[in-house]
Amino acid sequence: RDEQLRGLCWSGVPAGLRAKAWRLLTGCVPAQRSRREAEALRKLTEYTHMVNTYYCSVQTDDAEMSRQISIDVKRMQPGILLFRDKTIQKICHRILYLWGLRHPASGYVQGMDAMLSPFVPVYFTELFHLDLLHKDTSEAIISRCINNSTEADLLRVESDVYWSFSDLMGHVQDFYIPAQPGVQRTSQKVEQLVKIIDPALHSYLIDLGADFLRDFMWRWATCFLVRELPLSATTRVWDTFLSEGPDAGTFLTFISVAFLLHWKPRLMSCDFNELMALLRSLPTQDVTEVQVNEWLAHGYLLQKTYSHMLAR
């Protein structure tokens, strides 16, 4: 997890190298090549043990968590065909259930399904040698790839997804524990920054009756913008978040401000009802990687310029 790797990945990882890079960034595999095979086997063995011990017999006390995960998994990324597959849904359910079981401080919280979603197509793309986010990748092709894979290969990728997801969640768990202090803190800092950087926008939103936390920051922060962007754009954002490591939650503040400022002309032409509708469904379906890179670069500039003010 050296700084050189993080620096390179921060600016974006080629799609063909993304799974390898993300495994390294999240500590799923060690940087030292000589240790990778043994560490991968250890983690696979540990994950397999968790599945056999805890997942095969859901306890009554955990049945409600399992039920909620089942509901949320079926709604994951509705525009991505991969997530309609029953095998993939079961894999996502198992990962979220086991993570929730092992982290009782928060358990499973809605929004974690969104946090998991970028890892799934990235890691399974590597296994299937297929762009799972491409519009021409059909359900039939996805089903054939899954059916042609061995159970061992599917479990190996599932294990990698679990450990990478777990690493990210370990850095942002205070976004999900009771009272969600990470979400509260991020929302407060975003509002503070907008008030400093663009007082006209801040005044307009407040005068309309908008509440940063209630009306958009709760959603943006609990899902790290996953639900605001197409998944193809989210994976690029994830290159940066994973490169930030333990500071991913901090950088979310600045990319959220950059994201909000981008929509300023649209926001300031809205009445209250139009504003709420726009914030619930921002028109990002055709966003390009160039635009995402501009938002990330703007977020980086804001962090360098204003972070000292937030530390006061």
Side-chain angles (χ1 to χ4, degrees):
R1 303 191 189 186
D2 59 23
E3 292 306 309
Q4 184 179 14
L5 174 66
R6 292 190 181 280
L8 290 170
C9 294
W10 199 102
S11 299
V13 180
L17 297 175
R18 185 164 276 137
K20 291 182 175 64
W22 285 15
R23 287 190 185 94
L24 287 165
L25 290 170
T26 58
C28 182
V29 296
Q32 298 91 331
R33 290 179 181 273
S34 60
R35 293 179 49 215
R36 288 180 190 171
E37 186 175 348
E39 184 65 8
L41 179 59
R42 184 190 70 78
K43 288 191 169 179
L44 176 59
T45 301
E46 183 177 347
Y47 183 73
T48 303
H49 174 74
M50 285 194 289
V51 170
N52 293 335
T53 304
Y54 303 112
Y55 189 78
C56 293
S57 57
V58 175
Q59 300 300 309
T60 303
D61 292 347
D62 304 312
E64 177 56 28
M65 179 173 70
S66 179
R67 187 193 69 81
Q68 186 60 58
I69 293 171
S70 294
I71 293 171
D72 293 344
V73 160
K74 291 173 184 175
R75 300 186 296 204
M76 284 175 71
Q77 296 292 341
I80 305 298
L81 296 177
L82 175 68
F83 290 95
R84 295 184 191 173
D85 185 88
K86 298 298 184 184
T87 298
I88 296 299
Q89 288 180 0
K90 185 175 182 179
I91 286 170
C92 292
H93 184 282
R94 195 155 46 217
I95 290 169
L96 291 168
Y97 176 81
L98 289 171
W99 193 91
L101 201 65
R102 285 170 56 91
H103 297 83
S106 64
Y108 171 76
V109 177
Q110 286 181 293
M112 291 180 180
D113 54 312
M115 298 292 281
L116 173 66
S117 63
F119 292 107
V120 178
V122 167
Y123 285 19
F124 278 97
T125 284
E126 184 183 56
L127 174 63
F128 299 153
H129 304 289
L130 177 71
D131 183 356
L132 293 168
L133 300 180
H134 195 279
K135 61 182 178 62
D136 293 331
T137 302
S138 68
E139 288 185 82
I141 292 173
I142 292 170
S143 181
R144 184 164 64 247
C145 287
I146 292 171
N147 291 336
N148 289 341
S149 300
T150 66
E151 289 189 12
D153 281 340
L154 293 174
L155 183 62
R156 175 177 53 79
V157 177
E158 178 182 339
S159 172
D160 287 349
V161 172
Y162 173 86
W163 291 115
S164 289
F165 170 73
S166 186
D167 180 80
L168 173 61
M169 295 302 295
H171 298 317
V172 299
Q173 193 173 359
D174 67 343
F175 283 66
Y176 302 97
I177 60 176
Q180 298 181 290
V183 174
Q184 302 270 358
R185 181 177 63 250
T186 300
S187 180
Q188 290 167 2
K189 289 183 176 181
V190 167
E191 182 169 1
Q192 182 183 351
L193 277 174
V194 173
K195 188 174 183 179
I196 294 169
I197 297 165
D198 198 325
L201 175 59
H202 180 267
S203 295
Y204 189 83
L205 295 175
I206 297 302
D207 290 347
L208 276 185
D211 181 282
F212 275 62
L213 178 61
R214 179 195 65 208
D215 294 329
F216 57 94
M217 277 311 305
W218 185 87
R219 174 183 166 111
W220 292 9
T222 54
C223 302
F224 275 56
L225 297 176
V226 170
R227 290 181 178 158
E228 313 313 312
L229 298 169
L231 196 51
S232 56
T234 300
T235 55
R236 168 62 195 93
V237 176
W238 240 236
D239 292 339
T240 297
F241 278 143
L242 297 181
S243 297
E244 288 284 339
D247 295 323
T250 300
F251 189 69
L252 175 64
T253 297
F254 298 97
I255 183 62
S256 295
V257 174
F259 193 60
L260 188 65
L261 293 176
H262 172 81
W263 299 106
K264 174 184 175 178
R266 292 283 297 271
L267 296 171
M268 293 190 69
S269 67
C270 293
D271 61 24
F272 179 77
N273 290 331
E274 291 168 340
L275 179 68
M276 293 301 102
L278 178 61
L279 288 171
R280 281 194 297 268
S281 184
L282 290 165
T284 59
Q285 61 273 15
D286 297 320
V287 67
T288 65
E289 186 168 324
V290 171
Q291 288 174 304
V292 173
N293 286 333
E294 288 174 354
W295 291 332
L296 291 167
H298 191 191
Y300 178 80
L301 179 61
L302 293 174
Q303 185 176 33
K304 291 298 182 184
T305 305
Y306 295 102
S307 59
H308 67 286
M309 295 186 181
L310 298 179
R312 290 176 182 173

